[in-house]
Amino acid sequence: MPETALSGVEFKKQMREGKPKMGLFLNSHSPTVAEQLANSGYDWLLVDSQHGPMGYEKLSAMLCAIAAGGAKSMVRVTGYSDRAGIQQALDLGADGVLVPYIIRRKRRDRRLAAQSTRCGYPIGIFSAAKYE
């Protein structure tokens, strides 16, 4: 992890330039573990709220812990139809959201339109595939 935390814009710029970013998927649902890993040099940590129960209070604590450690935070939601989960993750301060099961670009674009209208977030990278 760099001495000073990168802005989201700089982080995405470096990714687009092909600079490697190291991170982990977190399934522990522990803010303590999240903060320890964020302080261990990872560039990003993804909180998996899709597999296993996680309330918004726990998610909020985990996102705060990741931010305190200087890593970028992402949240994996349950699917493209999880509008409340996507909005809540962004409202709680996640730097990004991973939406699984995006099969068609048209479906992704509809979901994005719904979210960007409410939150004002730009188009980015979804699931494990980059759409341009």
Side-chain angles (χ1 to χ4, degrees), residues 7-69:
S7 71
V9 172
E10 185 62 28
F11 186 85
K12 284 200 266 186
K13 179 182 174 196
Q14 289 182 6
M15 287 180 60
R16 288 187 182 114
E17 292 170 351
K19 294 183 180 172
K21 299 292 178 193
M22 300 297 292
L24 293 173
F25 278 61
L26 296 175
N27 290 320
S28 71
H29 298 184
S30 166
T32 303
V33 170
E35 187 169 5
Q36 288 172 340
L37 289 170
N39 279 297
S40 296
Y42 290 102
D43 298 304
W44 58 269
L45 295 170
L46 185 139
V47 179
D48 189 352
S49 68
Q50 179 186 19
H51 298 105
M54 178 179 293
Y56 294 129
E57 294 83 7
K58 180 71 73 167
L59 179 59
S60 177
M62 291 190 69
L63 294 174
C64 288
I66 293 168

Side-chain angles (χ1 to χ4, degrees), residues 38-102:
N39 279 297
S40 296
Y42 290 102
D43 298 304
W44 58 269
L45 295 170
L46 185 139
V47 179
D48 189 352
S49 68
Q50 179 186 19
H51 298 105
M54 178 179 293
Y56 294 129
E57 294 83 7
K58 180 71 73 167
L59 179 59
S60 177
M62 291 190 69
L63 294 174
C64 288
I66 293 168
K72 294 295 176 204
S73 62
M74 292 183 278
V75 176
R76 181 178 180 153
V77 296
T78 60
Y80 64 88
S81 62
D82 184 11
R83 181 181 178 126
I86 294 168
Q87 290 174 333
Q88 192 69 48
L90 295 172
D91 288 346
L92 290 173
D95 294 305
V97 177
L98 187 150
V99 182
Y101 309 118
I102 298 293

Side-chain angles (χ1 to χ4, degrees), residues 98-116:
L98 187 150
V99 182
Y101 309 118
I102 298 293
I103 299 166
R104 296 186 181 100
R105 184 177 184 151
K106 186 175 179 181
R107 184 182 294 164
R108 187 270 332 238
D109 290 343
R110 280 196 314 257
R111 178 58 47 204
L112 255 184
Q115 298 314 311
S116 62

